[in-house]
């Protein structure tokens, strides 16, 4: 496959996942903010969402205060923010047009409809009252594209590059959502284990659609360490870091067999997955959850860059 086509597929599904993930991050921060007092604390919550999304520098060039209205608009529809939901969906559609001959008609149509529906949905500023329904629609539309991919595409190199983009981006999101909870949003170490802390961990579960599956496995038990274990180390949970790392490795291993060539990205992916096989959640907490997540984000980003180099996405 030409590197340009491989790159188009990889980035198409990264952008789709990014749009959904931004919606999930916004939902998590918004719900956590509801468990806290108003005033300056509320503004701090909105600032933490922007910071965790990695968009603080761009946001501060336009806004002086981290109000709910400004943060919601910047994350969802600001034309100056290429990583907004609308920006990501538009970029996904542009990449889909470039690789249209590699996609089934169902995937292309679902992508185009996703773009049209979300463009209409975000044509006007979104109020806090309408935020829940808006975020739900964004998640639904992106999931339709993913369903079309699963249901109509051959399991070949086209599919592998698409899934690589999905899981690289998803891993990044889960790590950021965990970090926004544990390192940025928690008011003080004195709150650890108290009702507000447990409520915020529950929000994190809901933000990654994992509440029901967590209950099936853990029953009535709900503790920060068991929730973190589920979202980091449980490789049955499709948004956990371990699951994403496993899928990235599996898709790169498929491409290695397909092209009869082992790349540096294979080595990095295997090392990243091994980290989850060789650690316990207790060790991660002892050494520092924020430090673990920060290193994971760096390594995941390095892996994504290596994939682009190995498969010559730019030429």
């Amino acid at each position: 496959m030409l590197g340009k086509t491989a790159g188009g597929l990889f980035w198409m599904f990264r952008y789709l996942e990014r749009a959904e993930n931004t919606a999930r991050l916004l939902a998590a921060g918004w719900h956590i903010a509801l468990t806290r007092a108003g005033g300056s604390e509320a503004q701090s919550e909105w600032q933490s969402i922007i910071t965790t999304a990695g968009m603080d520098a761009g946001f501060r060039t336009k806004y002086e205060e981290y109000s709910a209205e400004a943060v919601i608009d910047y994350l969802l529809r600001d034309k100056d923010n290429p990583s907004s939901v609308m920006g990501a969906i538009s970029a996904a559609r542009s990449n889909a047009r470039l690789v249209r001959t590699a996609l089934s008609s169902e995937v292309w149509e679902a992508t185009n409809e996703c773009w049209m529906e979300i463009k209409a949905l975000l044509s006007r500023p979104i109020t806090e009252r309408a935020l829940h329904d808006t975020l739900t629609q964004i998640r639904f539309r992106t999931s339709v594209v993913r369903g079309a991919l699963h249901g109509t595409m051959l399991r070949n190199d086209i599919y592998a590059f698409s899934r690589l983009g999905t899981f690289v981006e998803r891993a990044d999101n889960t790590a950021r959502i965990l970090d926004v909870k544990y390192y940025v949003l928690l008011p003080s170490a004195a709150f650890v284990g108290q009702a507000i802390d447990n409520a915020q961990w529950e929000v994190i579960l809901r933000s990654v659609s994992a509440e029901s599956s967590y209950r099936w496995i853990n029953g009535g038990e709900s503790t920060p360490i068991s929730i973190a274990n589920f979202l980091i180390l449980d490789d049955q949970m499709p948004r956990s870091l371990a699951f994403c790392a496993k899928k990235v490795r599996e898709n790169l291993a498929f491409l290695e067999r397909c092209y009869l060539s082992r790349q540096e990205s294979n080595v990095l992916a295997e090392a990243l997955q091994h980290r989850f096989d060789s650690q316990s959640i207790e060790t991660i907490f002892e050494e520092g959850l924020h430090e673990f997540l920060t290193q994971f984000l760096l390594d995941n980003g390095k892996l994504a860059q290596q994939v682009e180099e190995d498969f010559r996405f730019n030429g």
Side-chain angles (χ1 to χ4, degrees), residues 14-303:
R14 276 203 75 167
Y15 282 126
L16 280 168
E17 190 72 20
R18 183 172 300 177
E20 179 176 340
N21 292 343
T22 299
R24 289 179 179 277
L25 180 62
L26 184 54
W30 177 56
H31 280 101
I32 289 175
L34 295 179
T35 69
R36 298 276 298 279
S40 61
E41 284 193 350
Q43 186 173 116
S44 176
E45 309 300 349
W46 292 109
Q47 179 180 357
S48 68
I49 299 170
I50 289 287
T51 301
T52 303
M55 302 179 191
D56 193 55
F59 181 87
R60 291 175 64 182
T61 63
K62 295 196 66 174
Y63 302 98
E64 294 182 358
E65 294 185 353
Y66 295 90
S67 65
E69 294 79 7
V71 171
I72 291 170
D73 200 69
Y74 191 74
L75 288 178
L76 292 184
R77 58 189 296 276
D78 196 307
K79 293 181 180 179
D80 295 326
N81 178 14
S83 291
S84 68
V85 167
M86 194 65 244
I89 291 295
S90 296
R93 180 177 180 266
S94 294
N95 278 278
R97 290 183 67 181
L98 289 173
V99 299
R100 188 168 175 178
T101 57
L103 301 172
S104 67
S105 60
E106 288 86 351
V107 173
W108 162 250
E109 289 167 5
T111 304
N112 198 44
E113 288 177 8
C114 175
W115 173 75
M116 290 190 294
E117 290 290 335
I118 292 178
K119 184 179 180 181
L121 186 68
L122 301 181
S123 61
R124 297 179 180 179
I126 305 300
T127 64
E128 280 194 72
R129 177 174 293 184
L131 186 59
H132 177 268
D133 290 343
T134 300
L135 298 178
T136 298
Q137 276 299 309
I138 292 168
R139 294 196 299 269
F140 170 73
R141 281 294 165 187
T142 55
S143 69
V144 170
V145 180
R146 192 163 55 244
L149 177 81
H150 284 302
T152 66
M153 296 290 290
L154 291 172
R155 270 38 175 183
N156 54 11
D157 52 349
I158 293 173
Y159 185 83
F161 281 116
S162 301
R163 298 304 278 163
L164 271 177
T166 294
F167 288 113
V168 163
E169 191 69 30
R170 184 177 296 177
D172 182 273
N173 173 72
T174 297
R176 288 181 183 277
I177 284 183
L178 281 167
D179 204 34
V180 75
K181 157 63 191 75
Y182 197 77
Y183 186 72
V184 183
L185 286 184
L186 191 63
S188 164
F191 287 92
V192 174
Q194 295 187 12
I196 187 172
D197 184 40
N198 292 334
Q200 291 176 358
W201 279 104
E202 296 279 343
V203 167
I204 298 303
L205 276 178
R206 291 197 296 272
S207 72
V208 294
S209 302
E211 190 174 23
S212 296
S213 54
Y214 175 82
R215 301 294 176 212
W216 291 335
I217 293 177
N218 295 279
E221 179 188 10
S222 179
T223 64
I225 199 165
S226 65
I227 292 173
N229 182 71
F230 186 60
L231 297 181
I232 295 173
L233 297 178
D234 194 322
D235 64 4
Q236 297 181 84
M237 195 284 177
R239 290 188 175 272
S240 75
L241 300 186
F243 184 93
C244 292
K246 179 177 69 173
K247 290 301 179 181
V248 168
R249 182 195 61 78
E250 288 177 355
N251 281 286
L252 283 170
F254 174 85
L255 291 170
E256 178 183 346
R257 296 190 300 271
C258 184
Y259 298 142
L260 302 177
S261 177
R262 182 170 176 79
Q263 306 286 352
E264 179 62 25
S265 53
N266 291 85
V267 178
L268 295 179
E270 289 170 2
L272 193 61
Q273 186 185 2
H274 177 69
R275 183 182 307 172
F276 294 102
D277 295 335
S278 60
Q279 292 199 63
S280 67
I281 195 64
E282 289 79 12
T283 300
I284 292 173
F285 267 68
E286 287 172 7
E287 296 179 355
L289 179 58
H290 172 66
E291 290 73 17
F292 175 86
L293 294 171
T294 298
Q295 187 60 52
F296 175 83
L297 286 167
L298 289 172
D299 293 341
N300 190 58
K302 181 180 178 181
L303 173 58

